[in-house]
Amino acid sequence: MTGGGDTGAGATTSRPEPGEPIPGRTLEITREDLRRYADASGDHNPIHLSEDAARALGLPGVVAHGMLTSALAIGVVAEWAGGADRVLATSIRFAAPVVVPADEPARLEVAGAVGGGAGDGPSADVALAVTCGGAKVFGKAIVTVATDGR
């Protein structure tokens, strides 16, 4: 959001304009991140931890948890909007899993732009584009954020 006084990490009191891009980020996910997320979430599905288990189910390798992937991407919008408390709603459809190699991190490229009609109300929709290795991770991802300057 541009102009106005600072209300948080990168946010201001002015309303975002339709089409306004949010700052893009590259985020890395490692196998160690997957282990820590599995412990924290209780999701120990072997496709997130074992190469053999993932391949046995037809996956190309160990894949990141969908909730971890979406949380990381939503976090980029939350930072732009001024904090996690500014996120009002999310709608995400997955297009492809994020494969996490054993010897290097998977790199998520997160970009987004404010949707049309954002300047009129107390909230705005941000459409996210998230890719990994050039492949789309989300088919559709909308994060609604508060723009009311609270």
mmCIF file of all heavy atoms in Angstrom, residues 122-141:
data_model
loop_
_atom_site.group_PDB
_atom_site.id
_atom_site.type_symbol
_atom_site.label_atom_id
_atom_site.label_comp_id
_atom_site.label_asym_id
_atom_site.label_seq_id
_atom_site.Cartn_x
_atom_site.Cartn_y
_atom_site.Cartn_z
ATOM 1 N N PRO A 122 -13.347 -1.259 2.847
ATOM 2 C CA PRO A 122 -12.411 -1.437 3.952
ATOM 3 C C PRO A 122 -11.483 -2.638 3.772
ATOM 4 O O PRO A 122 -10.705 -2.953 4.662
ATOM 5 C CB PRO A 122 -13.335 -1.647 5.150
ATOM 6 C CG PRO A 122 -14.550 -2.282 4.568
ATOM 7 C CD PRO A 122 -14.705 -1.651 3.200
ATOM 8 N N SER A 123 -11.583 -3.319 2.621
ATOM 9 C CA SER A 123 -10.722 -4.471 2.367
ATOM 10 C C SER A 123 -10.362 -4.532 0.889
ATOM 11 O O SER A 123 -10.985 -3.876 0.057
ATOM 12 C CB SER A 123 -11.415 -5.773 2.792
ATOM 13 O OG SER A 123 -12.535 -6.022 1.978
ATOM 14 N N ALA A 124 -9.337 -5.317 0.592
ATOM 15 C CA ALA A 124 -8.907 -5.518 -0.790
ATOM 16 C C ALA A 124 -8.503 -6.964 -0.974
ATOM 17 O O ALA A 124 -7.997 -7.601 -0.045
ATOM 18 C CB ALA A 124 -7.729 -4.602 -1.119
ATOM 19 N N ASP A 125 -8.727 -7.466 -2.165
ATOM 20 C CA ASP A 125 -8.278 -8.812 -2.528
ATOM 21 C C ASP A 125 -6.936 -8.711 -3.227
ATOM 22 O O ASP A 125 -6.746 -7.873 -4.114
ATOM 23 C CB ASP A 125 -9.273 -9.488 -3.472
ATOM 24 C CG ASP A 125 -10.569 -9.872 -2.794
ATOM 25 O OD1 ASP A 125 -10.587 -9.970 -1.552
ATOM 26 O OD2 ASP A 125 -11.568 -10.068 -3.502
ATOM 27 N N VAL A 126 -6.019 -9.576 -2.828
ATOM 28 C CA VAL A 126 -4.718 -9.674 -3.474
ATOM 29 C C VAL A 126 -4.672 -11.032 -4.157
ATOM 30 O O VAL A 126 -4.858 -12.068 -3.501
ATOM 31 C CB VAL A 126 -3.554 -9.532 -2.472
ATOM 32 C CG1 VAL A 126 -2.216 -9.758 -3.161
ATOM 33 C CG2 VAL A 126 -3.604 -8.166 -1.796
ATOM 34 N N ALA A 127 -4.458 -11.020 -5.470
ATOM 35 C CA ALA A 127 -4.324 -12.258 -6.237
ATOM 36 C C ALA A 127 -2.852 -12.657 -6.229
ATOM 37 O O ALA A 127 -1.989 -11.870 -6.629
ATOM 38 C CB ALA A 127 -4.816 -12.061 -7.663
ATOM 39 N N LEU A 128 -2.579 -13.845 -5.742
ATOM 40 C CA LEU A 128 -1.209 -14.348 -5.667
ATOM 41 C C LEU A 128 -0.869 -15.211 -6.870
ATOM 42 O O LEU A 128 -1.705 -15.974 -7.355
ATOM 43 C CB LEU A 128 -1.019 -15.198 -4.414
ATOM 44 C CG LEU A 128 -0.822 -14.478 -3.105
ATOM 45 C CD1 LEU A 128 -0.728 -15.487 -1.960
ATOM 46 C CD2 LEU A 128 0.400 -13.605 -3.140
ATOM 47 N N ALA A 129 0.370 -15.088 -7.302
ATOM 48 C CA ALA A 129 0.935 -15.992 -8.305
ATOM 49 C C ALA A 129 2.142 -16.640 -7.646
ATOM 50 O O ALA A 129 3.098 -15.944 -7.291
ATOM 51 C CB ALA A 129 1.335 -15.222 -9.554
ATOM 52 N N VAL A 130 2.084 -17.944 -7.446
ATOM 53 C CA VAL A 130 3.161 -18.664 -6.767
ATOM 54 C C VAL A 130 3.640 -19.783 -7.679
ATOM 55 O O VAL A 130 2.838 -20.590 -8.160
ATOM 56 C CB VAL A 130 2.682 -19.229 -5.410
ATOM 57 C CG1 VAL A 130 3.800 -19.994 -4.723
ATOM 58 C CG2 VAL A 130 2.166 -18.109 -4.518
ATOM 59 N N THR A 131 4.950 -19.796 -7.915
ATOM 60 C CA THR A 131 5.545 -20.828 -8.756
ATOM 61 C C THR A 131 6.734 -21.449 -8.034
ATOM 62 O O THR A 131 7.300 -20.861 -7.127
ATOM 63 C CB THR A 131 6.014 -20.257 -10.110
ATOM 64 O OG1 THR A 131 6.989 -19.244 -9.881
ATOM 65 C CG2 THR A 131 4.853 -19.705 -10.925
ATOM 66 N N CYS A 132 7.086 -22.632 -8.473
ATOM 67 C CA CYS A 132 8.278 -23.328 -7.984
ATOM 68 C C CYS A 132 8.913 -24.007 -9.193
ATOM 69 O O CYS A 132 8.253 -24.813 -9.866
ATOM 70 C CB CYS A 132 7.917 -24.341 -6.909
ATOM 71 S SG CYS A 132 9.352 -25.145 -6.164
ATOM 72 N N GLY A 133 10.137 -23.646 -9.508
ATOM 73 C CA GLY A 133 10.790 -24.218 -10.679
ATOM 74 C C GLY A 133 10.056 -23.899 -11.964
ATOM 75 O O GLY A 133 10.068 -24.698 -12.896
ATOM 76 N N GLY A 134 9.386 -22.769 -12.006
ATOM 77 C CA GLY A 134 8.641 -22.356 -13.191
ATOM 78 C C GLY A 134 7.236 -22.915 -13.289
ATOM 79 O O GLY A 134 6.469 -22.506 -14.154
ATOM 80 N N ALA A 135 6.863 -23.845 -12.418
ATOM 81 C CA ALA A 135 5.526 -24.448 -12.452
ATOM 82 C C ALA A 135 4.601 -23.744 -11.460
ATOM 83 O O ALA A 135 5.013 -23.399 -10.352
ATOM 84 C CB ALA A 135 5.609 -25.932 -12.100
ATOM 85 N N LYS A 136 3.364 -23.538 -11.874
ATOM 86 C CA LYS A 136 2.372 -22.935 -10.991
ATOM 87 C C LYS A 136 2.087 -23.852 -9.811
ATOM 88 O O LYS A 136 1.826 -25.035 -9.990
ATOM 89 C CB LYS A 136 1.050 -22.702 -11.735
ATOM 90 C CG LYS A 136 1.036 -21.502 -12.628
ATOM 91 C CD LYS A 136 -0.278 -21.380 -13.382
ATOM 92 C CE LYS A 136 -1.362 -20.876 -12.459
ATOM 93 N NZ LYS A 136 -2.597 -20.513 -13.177
ATOM 94 N N VAL A 137 2.130 -23.287 -8.604
ATOM 95 C CA VAL A 137 1.817 -24.035 -7.394
ATOM 96 C C VAL A 137 0.341 -23.877 -7.047
ATOM 97 O O VAL A 137 -0.329 -24.832 -6.673
ATOM 98 C CB VAL A 137 2.699 -23.564 -6.216
ATOM 99 C CG1 VAL A 137 2.281 -24.225 -4.919
ATOM 100 C CG2 VAL A 137 4.168 -23.841 -6.517
ATOM 101 N N PHE A 138 -0.180 -22.661 -7.193
ATOM 102 C CA PHE A 138 -1.595 -22.381 -6.921
ATOM 103 C C PHE A 138 -2.299 -22.111 -8.243
ATOM 104 O O PHE A 138 -1.811 -21.349 -9.074
ATOM 105 C CB PHE A 138 -1.767 -21.143 -6.037
ATOM 106 C CG PHE A 138 -1.123 -21.224 -4.681
ATOM 107 C CD1 PHE A 138 -0.712 -20.081 -4.040
ATOM 108 C CD2 PHE A 138 -0.943 -22.423 -4.029
ATOM 109 C CE1 PHE A 138 -0.133 -20.119 -2.781
ATOM 110 C CE2 PHE A 138 -0.358 -22.486 -2.776
ATOM 111 C CZ PHE A 138 0.049 -21.327 -2.149
ATOM 112 N N GLY A 139 -3.468 -22.734 -8.413
ATOM 113 C CA GLY A 139 -4.285 -22.433 -9.576
ATOM 114 C C GLY A 139 -4.992 -21.103 -9.398
ATOM 115 O O GLY A 139 -5.123 -20.309 -10.312
ATOM 116 N N LYS A 140 -5.435 -20.857 -8.181
ATOM 117 C CA LYS A 140 -6.077 -19.598 -7.823
ATOM 118 C C LYS A 140 -5.768 -19.353 -6.358
ATOM 119 O O LYS A 140 -5.901 -20.245 -5.537
ATOM 120 C CB LYS A 140 -7.588 -19.679 -8.028
ATOM 121 C CG LYS A 140 -8.312 -18.419 -7.621
ATOM 122 C CD LYS A 140 -9.812 -18.567 -7.780
ATOM 123 C CE LYS A 140 -10.518 -17.305 -7.318
ATOM 124 N NZ LYS A 140 -11.962 -17.459 -7.358
ATOM 125 N N ALA A 141 -5.368 -18.130 -6.053
ATOM 126 C CA ALA A 141 -5.081 -17.783 -4.658
ATOM 127 C C ALA A 141 -5.446 -16.323 -4.432
ATOM 128 O O ALA A 141 -4.871 -15.437 -5.067
ATOM 129 C CB ALA A 141 -3.605 -18.019 -4.355
#
